Amino acid sequence: DKGLAYLRDSLTRQAEIGYFLITCDIPAETAAVFAKALEAGIEVDFVKEIIRRRRLLPDEITMTPKEWPWPVEVYTLGRFAVIRDGQELLFSKKAQKKPLEMLKATTTRGSPPMSETNIPDILWPDADGDLALQTCAPTLHRLRKLLGYHESILLQNGTLMINTSACWIDAWVFEKLLDKADALWVEARNEAQRMEACEL
């Protein structure tokens, strides 16, 4: 409680003068402190703006408060939508078709990375193998440009993956919450613990 009081006082003073600069800090630790501020409802809009300006990223997707201003949010349950910096991206029917298909392919396949060689087979099943593979790189570039964060889609050692520190994906959060609930249920020793699992 004392720590939160200090944090509230500090952030309130900063917000009053519009002081967004933090001169000495460790980004991961600053992100953790700001997560606490969001949970406690301390200067929420101001804290969100600092997070956006600093491009701070959280460590654990399921433990991050719902108010965290994710650079990119992808909704796949019931609808498909992409939110960038708090604004939903609107597309015409043909515009950005292949980059969006690439995004859908990497999100609907689940958390494990997807081989770069599988993407062309999914997006261009009728194209020549070499031609499809050559088309993959510019499509990835267009997708990263569309999302506005180059680090949101990673290509490492021939695998394409979503950066879960930069992207919030509803289906993945849902799966992780279910896994956590299952683990709590298995370990439950009394009714209160079972209720905790059910609530989660």
Side-chain angles (χ1 to χ4, degrees):
D1 291 342
K2 193 173 182 180
L4 286 175
Y6 281 126
L7 184 60
R8 186 182 302 277
D9 181 62
S10 173
L11 288 174
T12 299
R13 291 172 185 269
Q14 283 185 247
E16 287 174 352
I17 62 175
Y19 188 75
F20 290 94
L21 180 64
I22 299 175
T23 53
C24 291
D25 74 321
I26 299 172
E29 293 184 359
T30 300
V33 170
F34 284 165
K36 289 293 185 183
L38 292 175
E39 288 176 2
I42 299 172
E43 297 293 340
V44 171
D45 292 338
F46 178 69
V47 170
K48 284 183 177 181
E49 183 60 27
I50 296 180
I51 291 171
R52 290 192 186 99
R53 292 189 184 198
R54 293 282 313 281
R55 292 197 172 192
L56 296 173
L57 301 175
D59 286 332
E60 176 54 56
I61 190 170
T62 58
M63 298 302 291
T64 306
K66 62 181 180 180
E67 295 85 2
W68 187 274
W70 290 90
V72 178
E73 299 173 52
V74 182
Y75 290 85
T76 62
L77 299 176
R79 64 173 178 140
F80 180 77
V82 180
I83 313 293
R84 184 181 68 192
D85 291 328
Q87 299 292 322
E88 183 171 353
L89 301 182
L90 303 177
F91 314 101
S92 63
K93 290 185 177 180
K94 291 186 178 181
Q96 307 295 349
K97 181 180 179 181
K98 287 302 179 183
L100 288 176
E101 287 181 0
M102 178 177 283
L103 178 62
K104 290 178 181 179
T106 53
T107 57
T108 57
R109 288 286 292 263
S111 300
M114 181 184 296
S115 170
E116 185 183 11
T117 57
N118 291 340
I119 295 289
D121 295 336
I122 296 170
L123 300 186
W124 301 278
D126 299 325
D128 176 77
D130 291 339
L131 178 61
L133 195 58
Q134 292 172 8
T135 312
C136 190
T139 303
L140 175 59
H141 174 75
R142 288 169 57 200
L143 174 57
R144 285 171 166 167
K145 186 176 180 180
L146 177 71
L147 297 179
Y149 290 83
H150 184 274
E151 63 272 20
S152 58
I153 307 292
L154 303 176
L155 180 58
Q156 298 176 343
N157 300 321
T159 58
L160 194 67
M161 67 190 85
I162 300 287
N163 182 353
T164 55
S165 292
C167 297
W168 181 94
I169 301 171
D170 61 350
W172 291 12
V173 174
F174 181 65
E175 289 174 358
K176 286 192 174 185
L177 288 173
L178 283 181
D179 289 342
K180 188 174 181 180
D182 284 342
L184 282 174
W185 180 266
V186 170
E187 296 170 1
R189 295 292 180 265
N190 53 54
E191 187 64 22
Q193 292 176 337
R194 283 190 285 272
M195 286 302 298
E196 182 183 355
C198 290
E199 288 172 4
L200 185 58

